[in-house]
Amino acid sequence: SEDIQDQLVSPFQKFLREDLKDLKEVRKNNDKISEKYESAVAKYASVNKSKDPTSAQEEAFALFEIRRAYFRSSFDYVHQILVFKDKLDTRFSEKVMGAMYAHVDYFQYSAEVFMGLKPAMDTLKG
């Protein structure tokens, strides 16, 4: 039980605390930039381009800049998701497989011990 706790549960909890925190921070940043982008799109759409071309050009430039930041943030978020998934797949599967092999070895050794006791048990039985 302690072995499972030390080998699986604790590292998994640490992984979730640290790496999930990083993922949440990137998502939060992406959400903020997404809101700014949506606001810039709405602002640009509301500008009367024929009456105020200078204002329209300024809004177009602002939209271009925030769109670039939004794309960059979105790529960072997707990258962080992929990194998180990769770490989860590799770390967790390695830990689970390690624990399973440890249990196989333990039970295999136990079976060998009991098979060694079989002749003595047969003698006592018979």
Side-chain angles (χ1 to χ4, degrees), residues 31-89:
D31 288 347
K32 286 179 184 177
I33 291 178
S34 175
E35 289 175 11
K36 288 180 183 179
Y37 176 66
E38 290 172 11
S39 174
V41 168
K43 194 172 183 182
Y44 178 74
S46 69
V47 171
N48 189 339
K49 289 136 185 91
S50 61
K51 286 187 178 180
D52 194 4
T54 304
S55 182
Q57 187 177 15
E58 289 172 3
E59 290 304 321
F61 182 73
L63 178 60
F64 173 77
E65 289 297 319
I66 193 68
R67 182 174 56 201
R68 186 167 56 181
Y70 173 69
F71 286 153
R72 202 173 283 138
S73 173
S74 296
F75 288 136
D76 288 345
Y77 183 43
V78 169
H79 177 260
Q80 191 69 28
I81 290 170
L82 294 173
V83 167
F84 179 83
K85 184 182 179 314
D86 183 58
K87 286 180 180 179
L88 181 63
D89 290 346

Short mmCIF file of all heavy atoms in Angstrom, two decimals, residues 31-89:
data_model
loop_
_atom_site.label_atom_id
_atom_site.label_comp_id
_atom_site.label_asym_id
_atom_site.label_seq_id
_atom_site.Cartn_x
_atom_site.Cartn_y
_atom_site.Cartn_z
N ASP A 31 -7.40 32.86 -22.49
CA ASP A 31 -8.77 33.36 -22.35
C ASP A 31 -8.80 34.90 -22.32
O ASP A 31 -9.66 35.52 -22.94
CB ASP A 31 -9.42 32.80 -21.09
CG ASP A 31 -9.76 31.33 -21.20
OD1 ASP A 31 -9.73 30.77 -22.32
OD2 ASP A 31 -10.03 30.70 -20.15
N LYS A 32 -7.84 35.50 -21.61
CA LYS A 32 -7.78 36.96 -21.55
C LYS A 32 -7.52 37.56 -22.93
O LYS A 32 -8.17 38.52 -23.34
CB LYS A 32 -6.69 37.41 -20.58
CG LYS A 32 -7.03 37.22 -19.13
CD LYS A 32 -5.88 37.68 -18.25
CE LYS A 32 -6.16 37.39 -16.79
NZ LYS A 32 -5.02 37.76 -15.93
N ILE A 33 -6.56 36.98 -23.62
CA ILE A 33 -6.23 37.50 -24.95
C ILE A 33 -7.38 37.26 -25.92
O ILE A 33 -7.66 38.09 -26.78
CB ILE A 33 -4.91 36.89 -25.45
CG1 ILE A 33 -3.76 37.44 -24.60
CG2 ILE A 33 -4.68 37.17 -26.92
CD1 ILE A 33 -2.40 36.91 -24.93
N SER A 34 -8.08 36.16 -25.76
CA SER A 34 -9.24 35.86 -26.61
C SER A 34 -10.32 36.92 -26.41
O SER A 34 -10.93 37.38 -27.39
CB SER A 34 -9.77 34.47 -26.27
OG SER A 34 -10.94 34.21 -26.99
N GLU A 35 -10.54 37.32 -25.17
CA GLU A 35 -11.53 38.36 -24.90
C GLU A 35 -11.11 39.69 -25.53
O GLU A 35 -11.94 40.41 -26.11
CB GLU A 35 -11.72 38.53 -23.39
CG GLU A 35 -12.45 37.38 -22.74
CD GLU A 35 -12.52 37.51 -21.22
OE1 GLU A 35 -12.20 38.59 -20.68
OE2 GLU A 35 -12.88 36.51 -20.58
N LYS A 36 -9.81 40.00 -25.42
CA LYS A 36 -9.32 41.24 -26.04
C LYS A 36 -9.49 41.18 -27.56
O LYS A 36 -9.85 42.18 -28.19
CB LYS A 36 -7.84 41.45 -25.69
CG LYS A 36 -7.60 41.85 -24.27
CD LYS A 36 -6.12 42.03 -24.01
CE LYS A 36 -5.84 42.38 -22.57
NZ LYS A 36 -4.39 42.52 -22.30
N TYR A 37 -9.22 40.03 -28.13
CA TYR A 37 -9.37 39.87 -29.58
C TYR A 37 -10.82 40.06 -30.01
O TYR A 37 -11.11 40.77 -30.96
CB TYR A 37 -8.84 38.50 -30.01
CG TYR A 37 -9.04 38.20 -31.47
CD1 TYR A 37 -8.37 38.93 -32.44
CD2 TYR A 37 -9.90 37.19 -31.88
CE1 TYR A 37 -8.55 38.67 -33.80
CE2 TYR A 37 -10.08 36.92 -33.22
CZ TYR A 37 -9.41 37.65 -34.18
OH TYR A 37 -9.60 37.39 -35.51
N GLU A 38 -11.74 39.42 -29.29
CA GLU A 38 -13.16 39.56 -29.61
C GLU A 38 -13.61 41.01 -29.48
O GLU A 38 -14.39 41.51 -30.30
CB GLU A 38 -13.99 38.65 -28.71
CG GLU A 38 -13.82 37.18 -29.03
CD GLU A 38 -14.51 36.26 -28.02
OE1 GLU A 38 -15.30 36.75 -27.19
OE2 GLU A 38 -14.24 35.05 -28.09
N SER A 39 -13.10 41.70 -28.48
CA SER A 39 -13.43 43.11 -28.29
C SER A 39 -12.88 43.95 -29.44
O SER A 39 -13.57 44.85 -29.96
CB SER A 39 -12.85 43.59 -26.96
OG SER A 39 -13.02 44.96 -26.81
N ALA A 40 -11.66 43.65 -29.87
CA ALA A 40 -11.05 44.39 -30.99
C ALA A 40 -11.80 44.14 -32.29
O ALA A 40 -11.98 45.06 -33.09
CB ALA A 40 -9.58 44.00 -31.13
N VAL A 41 -12.27 42.91 -32.49
CA VAL A 41 -13.05 42.59 -33.69
C VAL A 41 -14.35 43.38 -33.68
O VAL A 41 -14.74 43.99 -34.69
CB VAL A 41 -13.33 41.07 -33.80
CG1 VAL A 41 -14.37 40.78 -34.87
CG2 VAL A 41 -12.04 40.31 -34.09
N ALA A 42 -15.01 43.41 -32.53
CA ALA A 42 -16.27 44.15 -32.43
C ALA A 42 -16.05 45.65 -32.64
O ALA A 42 -16.83 46.32 -33.33
CB ALA A 42 -16.91 43.89 -31.07
N LYS A 43 -14.97 46.16 -32.07
CA LYS A 43 -14.67 47.58 -32.21
C LYS A 43 -14.36 47.93 -33.67
O LYS A 43 -14.84 48.94 -34.20
CB LYS A 43 -13.48 47.94 -31.32
CG LYS A 43 -13.27 49.40 -31.12
CD LYS A 43 -12.19 49.63 -30.06
CE LYS A 43 -12.02 51.11 -29.81
NZ LYS A 43 -10.97 51.36 -28.82
N TYR A 44 -13.60 47.08 -34.34
CA TYR A 44 -13.27 47.31 -35.74
C TYR A 44 -14.53 47.24 -36.61
O TYR A 44 -14.71 48.05 -37.52
CB TYR A 44 -12.23 46.30 -36.22
CG TYR A 44 -11.90 46.45 -37.68
CD1 TYR A 44 -11.11 47.51 -38.12
CD2 TYR A 44 -12.37 45.55 -38.62
CE1 TYR A 44 -10.81 47.67 -39.47
CE2 TYR A 44 -12.07 45.69 -39.97
CZ TYR A 44 -11.29 46.76 -40.39
OH TYR A 44 -10.99 46.91 -41.71
N ALA A 45 -15.40 46.30 -36.30
CA ALA A 45 -16.63 46.14 -37.08
C ALA A 45 -17.56 47.33 -36.91
O ALA A 45 -18.32 47.66 -37.83
CB ALA A 45 -17.34 44.85 -36.68
N SER A 46 -17.47 47.98 -35.77
CA SER A 46 -18.39 49.11 -35.52
C SER A 46 -17.89 50.43 -36.10
O SER A 46 -18.65 51.39 -36.15
CB SER A 46 -18.62 49.26 -34.01
OG SER A 46 -17.44 49.71 -33.37
N VAL A 47 -16.63 50.49 -36.52
CA VAL A 47 -16.10 51.74 -37.08
C VAL A 47 -16.65 51.94 -38.49
O VAL A 47 -16.66 51.03 -39.32
CB VAL A 47 -14.55 51.68 -37.12
CG1 VAL A 47 -13.98 52.87 -37.89
CG2 VAL A 47 -13.98 51.64 -35.73
N ASN A 48 -17.11 53.16 -38.74
CA ASN A 48 -17.60 53.52 -40.07
C ASN A 48 -16.38 53.83 -40.93
O ASN A 48 -15.75 54.88 -40.79
CB ASN A 48 -18.54 54.72 -39.99
CG ASN A 48 -19.23 54.99 -41.30
OD1 ASN A 48 -18.77 54.56 -42.36
ND2 ASN A 48 -20.34 55.70 -41.23
N LYS A 49 -16.07 52.90 -41.81
CA LYS A 49 -14.83 52.99 -42.59
C LYS A 49 -14.86 54.10 -43.64
O LYS A 49 -13.84 54.67 -43.99
CB LYS A 49 -14.49 51.64 -43.23
CG LYS A 49 -14.03 50.63 -42.19
CD LYS A 49 -14.69 49.29 -42.45
CE LYS A 49 -14.36 48.30 -41.36
NZ LYS A 49 -15.31 48.27 -40.28
N SER A 50 -16.03 54.42 -44.12
CA SER A 50 -16.12 55.46 -45.17
C SER A 50 -16.07 56.86 -44.56
O SER A 50 -15.52 57.78 -45.17
CB SER A 50 -17.38 55.27 -45.99
OG SER A 50 -18.53 55.39 -45.18
N LYS A 51 -16.63 57.07 -43.37
CA LYS A 51 -16.64 58.40 -42.76
C LYS A 51 -15.33 58.73 -42.05
O LYS A 51 -14.93 59.89 -42.01
CB LYS A 51 -17.79 58.51 -41.75
CG LYS A 51 -19.15 58.62 -42.39
CD LYS A 51 -20.19 58.90 -41.34
CE LYS A 51 -21.56 59.06 -41.99
NZ LYS A 51 -22.58 59.35 -40.99
N ASP A 52 -14.70 57.72 -41.47
CA ASP A 52 -13.48 57.97 -40.68
C ASP A 52 -12.39 56.97 -41.04
O ASP A 52 -12.13 56.03 -40.30
CB ASP A 52 -13.83 57.89 -39.19
CG ASP A 52 -12.74 58.46 -38.31
OD1 ASP A 52 -11.75 58.98 -38.84
OD2 ASP A 52 -12.88 58.36 -37.07
N PRO A 53 -11.74 57.17 -42.19
CA PRO A 53 -10.74 56.20 -42.65
C PRO A 53 -9.51 56.13 -41.74
O PRO A 53 -8.91 55.07 -41.58
CB PRO A 53 -10.35 56.67 -44.04
CG PRO A 53 -10.87 58.04 -44.18
CD PRO A 53 -11.94 58.24 -43.16
N THR A 54 -9.14 57.22 -41.09
CA THR A 54 -7.99 57.20 -40.19
C THR A 54 -8.26 56.32 -38.97
O THR A 54 -7.43 55.50 -38.58
CB THR A 54 -7.63 58.63 -39.72
OG1 THR A 54 -7.42 59.45 -40.86
CG2 THR A 54 -6.40 58.63 -38.85
N SER A 55 -9.44 56.48 -38.41
CA SER A 55 -9.84 55.66 -37.27
C SER A 55 -9.95 54.19 -37.68
O SER A 55 -9.54 53.30 -36.92
CB SER A 55 -11.17 56.15 -36.71
OG SER A 55 -11.54 55.39 -35.59
N ALA A 56 -10.46 53.95 -38.87
CA ALA A 56 -10.57 52.57 -39.36
C ALA A 56 -9.19 51.95 -39.52
O ALA A 56 -8.98 50.78 -39.18
CB ALA A 56 -11.33 52.54 -40.68
N GLN A 57 -8.25 52.75 -40.02
CA GLN A 57 -6.89 52.23 -40.20
C GLN A 57 -6.24 51.94 -38.83
O GLN A 57 -5.57 50.92 -38.67
CB GLN A 57 -6.05 53.25 -40.98
CG GLN A 57 -4.68 52.73 -41.34
CD GLN A 57 -3.89 53.73 -42.17
OE1 GLN A 57 -4.25 54.90 -42.26
NE2 GLN A 57 -2.82 53.26 -42.78
N GLU A 58 -6.46 52.80 -37.86
CA GLU A 58 -5.92 52.58 -36.51
C GLU A 58 -6.52 51.31 -35.89
O GLU A 58 -5.81 50.52 -35.28
CB GLU A 58 -6.19 53.79 -35.62
CG GLU A 58 -5.36 55.00 -35.98
CD GLU A 58 -5.79 56.24 -35.21
OE1 GLU A 58 -6.70 56.16 -34.35
OE2 GLU A 58 -5.21 57.31 -35.47
N GLU A 59 -7.82 51.16 -36.05
CA GLU A 59 -8.49 49.97 -35.51
C GLU A 59 -8.03 48.70 -36.23
O GLU A 59 -7.90 47.64 -35.62
CB GLU A 59 -10.01 50.11 -35.59
CG GLU A 59 -10.58 51.14 -34.64
CD GLU A 59 -10.22 50.90 -33.18
OE1 GLU A 59 -10.19 49.74 -32.74
OE2 GLU A 59 -9.94 51.89 -32.49
N ALA A 60 -7.78 48.81 -37.53
CA ALA A 60 -7.29 47.67 -38.29
C ALA A 60 -5.91 47.25 -37.80
O ALA A 60 -5.62 46.06 -37.65
CB ALA A 60 -7.25 47.98 -39.79
N PHE A 61 -5.06 48.24 -37.53
CA PHE A 61 -3.73 47.94 -37.02
C PHE A 61 -3.82 47.32 -35.63
O PHE A 61 -3.12 46.35 -35.32
CB PHE A 61 -2.85 49.20 -36.99
CG PHE A 61 -1.46 48.92 -36.52
CD1 PHE A 61 -0.54 48.26 -37.34
CD2 PHE A 61 -1.06 49.31 -35.25
CE1 PHE A 61 0.74 48.00 -36.90
CE2 PHE A 61 0.23 49.05 -34.81
CZ PHE A 61 1.13 48.39 -35.63
N ALA A 62 -4.66 47.88 -34.77
CA ALA A 62 -4.85 47.33 -33.42
C ALA A 62 -5.38 45.90 -33.50
O ALA A 62 -4.93 45.02 -32.76
CB ALA A 62 -5.80 48.21 -32.62
N LEU A 63 -6.31 45.67 -34.42
CA LEU A 63 -6.86 44.33 -34.60
C LEU A 63 -5.77 43.37 -35.08
O LEU A 63 -5.67 42.24 -34.60
CB LEU A 63 -8.02 44.35 -35.60
CG LEU A 63 -8.66 43.01 -35.93
CD1 LEU A 63 -9.23 42.36 -34.67
CD2 LEU A 63 -9.74 43.18 -36.98
N PHE A 64 -4.95 43.83 -36.00
CA PHE A 64 -3.84 43.01 -36.49
C PHE A 64 -2.90 42.61 -35.35
O PHE A 64 -2.51 41.45 -35.23
CB PHE A 64 -3.06 43.77 -37.57
CG PHE A 64 -1.82 43.06 -38.02
CD1 PHE A 64 -1.89 41.98 -38.89
CD2 PHE A 64 -0.57 43.46 -37.55
CE1 PHE A 64 -0.74 41.33 -39.30
CE2 PHE A 64 0.58 42.81 -37.95
CZ PHE A 64 0.50 41.73 -38.82
N GLU A 65 -2.56 43.55 -34.49
CA GLU A 65 -1.63 43.27 -33.37
C GLU A 65 -2.24 42.29 -32.37
O GLU A 65 -1.59 41.36 -31.92
CB GLU A 65 -1.24 44.58 -32.67
CG GLU A 65 -0.33 45.46 -33.49
CD GLU A 65 1.02 44.80 -33.79
OE1 GLU A 65 1.59 44.16 -32.90
OE2 GLU A 65 1.48 44.93 -34.94
N ILE A 66 -3.51 42.52 -32.02
CA ILE A 66 -4.13 41.62 -31.04
C ILE A 66 -4.38 40.25 -31.65
O ILE A 66 -4.30 39.23 -30.96
CB ILE A 66 -5.41 42.23 -30.42
CG1 ILE A 66 -5.86 41.45 -29.18
CG2 ILE A 66 -6.53 42.27 -31.42
CD1 ILE A 66 -4.95 41.54 -28.01
N ARG A 67 -4.66 40.22 -32.95
CA ARG A 67 -4.85 38.92 -33.61
C ARG A 67 -3.54 38.13 -33.60
O ARG A 67 -3.53 36.93 -33.35
CB ARG A 67 -5.35 39.10 -35.04
CG ARG A 67 -5.59 37.76 -35.73
CD ARG A 67 -6.22 37.89 -37.08
NE ARG A 67 -5.40 38.75 -37.93
CZ ARG A 67 -5.86 39.37 -38.99
NH1 ARG A 67 -7.13 39.27 -39.34
NH2 ARG A 67 -5.06 40.10 -39.72
N ARG A 68 -2.44 38.82 -33.82
CA ARG A 68 -1.14 38.15 -33.77
C ARG A 68 -0.86 37.61 -32.36
O ARG A 68 -0.41 36.48 -32.19
CB ARG A 68 -0.04 39.12 -34.20
CG ARG A 68 1.31 38.45 -34.30
CD ARG A 68 2.33 39.28 -35.01
NE ARG A 68 2.47 40.59 -34.39
CZ ARG A 68 3.29 41.52 -34.83
NH1 ARG A 68 4.04 41.29 -35.89
NH2 ARG A 68 3.38 42.68 -34.23
N ALA A 69 -1.17 38.41 -31.35
CA ALA A 69 -1.00 37.96 -29.97
C ALA A 69 -1.93 36.79 -29.66
O ALA A 69 -1.56 35.84 -28.96
CB ALA A 69 -1.25 39.11 -29.00
N TYR A 70 -3.14 36.84 -30.19
CA TYR A 70 -4.11 35.76 -29.98
C TYR A 70 -3.62 34.45 -30.62
O TYR A 70 -3.69 33.39 -30.00
CB TYR A 70 -5.47 36.16 -30.56
CG TYR A 70 -6.49 35.05 -30.54
CD1 TYR A 70 -7.02 34.58 -29.34
CD2 TYR A 70 -6.93 34.47 -31.73
CE1 TYR A 70 -7.95 33.57 -29.33
CE2 TYR A 70 -7.86 33.46 -31.72
CZ TYR A 70 -8.37 33.01 -30.51
OH TYR A 70 -9.29 31.99 -30.51
N PHE A 71 -3.12 34.53 -31.84
CA PHE A 71 -2.58 33.33 -32.49
C PHE A 71 -1.41 32.76 -31.70
O PHE A 71 -1.32 31.55 -31.48
CB PHE A 71 -2.16 33.61 -33.92
CG PHE A 71 -3.29 33.78 -34.89
CD1 PHE A 71 -3.12 34.55 -36.02
CD2 PHE A 71 -4.52 33.19 -34.68
CE1 PHE A 71 -4.16 34.71 -36.93
CE2 PHE A 71 -5.57 33.34 -35.56
CZ PHE A 71 -5.39 34.11 -36.70
N ARG A 72 -0.52 33.63 -31.28
CA ARG A 72 0.64 33.19 -30.50
C ARG A 72 0.19 32.52 -29.20
O ARG A 72 0.68 31.45 -28.83
CB ARG A 72 1.53 34.39 -30.21
CG ARG A 72 2.96 34.02 -29.91
CD ARG A 72 3.85 35.24 -29.79
NE ARG A 72 4.18 35.75 -31.11
CZ ARG A 72 4.20 37.04 -31.44
NH1 ARG A 72 3.92 37.96 -30.56
NH2 ARG A 72 4.51 37.42 -32.67
N SER A 73 -0.76 33.13 -28.54
CA SER A 73 -1.28 32.59 -27.29
C SER A 73 -1.98 31.25 -27.52
O SER A 73 -1.83 30.31 -26.73
CB SER A 73 -2.25 33.58 -26.66
OG SER A 73 -2.87 33.02 -25.53
N SER A 74 -2.73 31.16 -28.60
CA SER A 74 -3.42 29.90 -28.92
C SER A 74 -2.43 28.79 -29.21
O SER A 74 -2.61 27.65 -28.77
CB SER A 74 -4.34 30.10 -30.12
OG SER A 74 -5.36 31.00 -29.80
N PHE A 75 -1.38 29.11 -29.95
CA PHE A 75 -0.35 28.11 -30.22
C PHE A 75 0.35 27.67 -28.93
O PHE A 75 0.63 26.49 -28.74
CB PHE A 75 0.68 28.63 -31.23
CG PHE A 75 0.15 28.74 -32.63
CD1 PHE A 75 0.43 29.86 -33.39
CD2 PHE A 75 -0.61 27.73 -33.20
CE1 PHE A 75 -0.06 29.98 -34.69
CE2 PHE A 75 -1.11 27.84 -34.49
CZ PHE A 75 -0.82 28.96 -35.23
N ASP A 76 0.62 28.64 -28.05
CA ASP A 76 1.23 28.29 -26.76
C ASP A 76 0.32 27.36 -25.96
O ASP A 76 0.78 26.41 -25.33
CB ASP A 76 1.52 29.55 -25.94
CG ASP A 76 2.67 30.36 -26.48
OD1 ASP A 76 3.44 29.83 -27.32
OD2 ASP A 76 2.80 31.54 -26.08
N TYR A 77 -0.97 27.66 -25.99
CA TYR A 77 -1.93 26.85 -25.24
C TYR A 77 -1.99 25.42 -25.80
O TYR A 77 -1.93 24.45 -25.04
CB TYR A 77 -3.31 27.51 -25.28
CG TYR A 77 -4.38 26.81 -24.50
CD1 TYR A 77 -4.14 26.30 -23.24
CD2 TYR A 77 -5.66 26.67 -25.03
CE1 TYR A 77 -5.13 25.66 -22.52
CE2 TYR A 77 -6.66 26.04 -24.32
CZ TYR A 77 -6.40 25.54 -23.06
OH TYR A 77 -7.38 24.91 -22.36
N VAL A 78 -2.07 25.31 -27.11
CA VAL A 78 -2.10 23.98 -27.73
C VAL A 78 -0.80 23.23 -27.44
O VAL A 78 -0.81 22.05 -27.10
CB VAL A 78 -2.34 24.08 -29.25
CG1 VAL A 78 -2.11 22.76 -29.94
CG2 VAL A 78 -3.75 24.58 -29.52
N HIS A 79 0.31 23.93 -27.52
CA HIS A 79 1.60 23.31 -27.21
C HIS A 79 1.63 22.80 -25.77
O HIS A 79 2.07 21.69 -25.49
CB HIS A 79 2.74 24.30 -27.46
CG HIS A 79 4.08 23.76 -27.11
ND1 HIS A 79 4.71 24.05 -25.94
CD2 HIS A 79 4.89 22.90 -27.78
CE1 HIS A 79 5.86 23.42 -25.90
NE2 HIS A 79 6.00 22.71 -27.00
N GLN A 80 1.15 23.62 -24.84
CA GLN A 80 1.13 23.23 -23.43
C GLN A 80 0.22 22.02 -23.21
O GLN A 80 0.55 21.14 -22.42
CB GLN A 80 0.68 24.41 -22.56
CG GLN A 80 0.88 24.18 -21.09
CD GLN A 80 2.34 24.15 -20.69
OE1 GLN A 80 3.19 24.76 -21.33
NE2 GLN A 80 2.65 23.44 -19.65
N ILE A 81 -0.89 21.96 -23.92
CA ILE A 81 -1.77 20.79 -23.83
C ILE A 81 -1.05 19.54 -24.31
O ILE A 81 -1.11 18.48 -23.67
CB ILE A 81 -3.07 21.01 -24.65
CG1 ILE A 81 -3.95 22.06 -23.99
CG2 ILE A 81 -3.83 19.70 -24.82
CD1 ILE A 81 -5.12 22.51 -24.83
N LEU A 82 -0.35 19.66 -25.43
CA LEU A 82 0.38 18.51 -25.98
C LEU A 82 1.50 18.07 -25.04
O LEU A 82 1.73 16.87 -24.85
CB LEU A 82 0.92 18.83 -27.37
CG LEU A 82 -0.14 19.05 -28.44
CD1 LEU A 82 0.51 19.52 -29.74
CD2 LEU A 82 -0.96 17.79 -28.67
N VAL A 83 2.20 19.02 -24.46
CA VAL A 83 3.27 18.69 -23.51
C VAL A 83 2.67 17.99 -22.28
O VAL A 83 3.20 16.98 -21.82
CB VAL A 83 4.05 19.96 -23.09
CG1 VAL A 83 4.93 19.71 -21.89
CG2 VAL A 83 4.87 20.48 -24.26
N PHE A 84 1.58 18.52 -21.78
CA PHE A 84 0.91 17.92 -20.62
C PHE A 84 0.48 16.49 -20.94
O PHE A 84 0.71 15.56 -20.16
CB PHE A 84 -0.31 18.77 -20.23
CG PHE A 84 -1.07 18.22 -19.06
CD1 PHE A 84 -0.64 18.48 -17.77
CD2 PHE A 84 -2.20 17.46 -19.24
CE1 PHE A 84 -1.34 17.98 -16.68
CE2 PHE A 84 -2.90 16.95 -18.16
CZ PHE A 84 -2.47 17.22 -16.87
N LYS A 85 -0.15 16.29 -22.09
CA LYS A 85 -0.61 14.96 -22.48
C LYS A 85 0.57 14.00 -22.63
O LYS A 85 0.50 12.86 -22.18
CB LYS A 85 -1.40 15.03 -23.78
CG LYS A 85 -1.99 13.68 -24.19
CD LYS A 85 -2.73 13.79 -25.50
CE LYS A 85 -3.32 12.50 -25.97
NZ LYS A 85 -2.49 11.35 -25.90
N ASP A 86 1.64 14.47 -23.24
CA ASP A 86 2.82 13.62 -23.41
C ASP A 86 3.41 13.22 -22.05
O ASP A 86 3.73 12.05 -21.83
CB ASP A 86 3.88 14.34 -24.24
CG ASP A 86 5.09 13.48 -24.50
OD1 ASP A 86 4.92 12.38 -25.08
OD2 ASP A 86 6.21 13.88 -24.12
N LYS A 87 3.53 14.19 -21.15
CA LYS A 87 4.06 13.89 -19.82
C LYS A 87 3.13 12.92 -19.09
O LYS A 87 3.60 11.99 -18.42
CB LYS A 87 4.21 15.16 -18.99
CG LYS A 87 5.37 16.02 -19.40
CD LYS A 87 5.44 17.26 -18.52
CE LYS A 87 6.58 18.16 -18.89
NZ LYS A 87 6.62 19.37 -18.04
N LEU A 88 1.84 13.15 -19.22
CA LEU A 88 0.88 12.27 -18.57
C LEU A 88 1.00 10.85 -19.11
O LEU A 88 1.06 9.89 -18.34
CB LEU A 88 -0.54 12.79 -18.77
CG LEU A 88 -1.67 12.01 -18.14
CD1 LEU A 88 -1.54 12.02 -16.62
CD2 LEU A 88 -3.01 12.59 -18.54
N ASP A 89 1.05 10.73 -20.43
CA ASP A 89 1.16 9.41 -21.05
C ASP A 89 2.45 8.70 -20.65
O ASP A 89 2.43 7.53 -20.26
CB ASP A 89 1.10 9.52 -22.57
CG ASP A 89 -0.28 9.91 -23.08
OD1 ASP A 89 -1.24 9.85 -22.29
OD2 ASP A 89 -0.38 10.29 -24.27
#
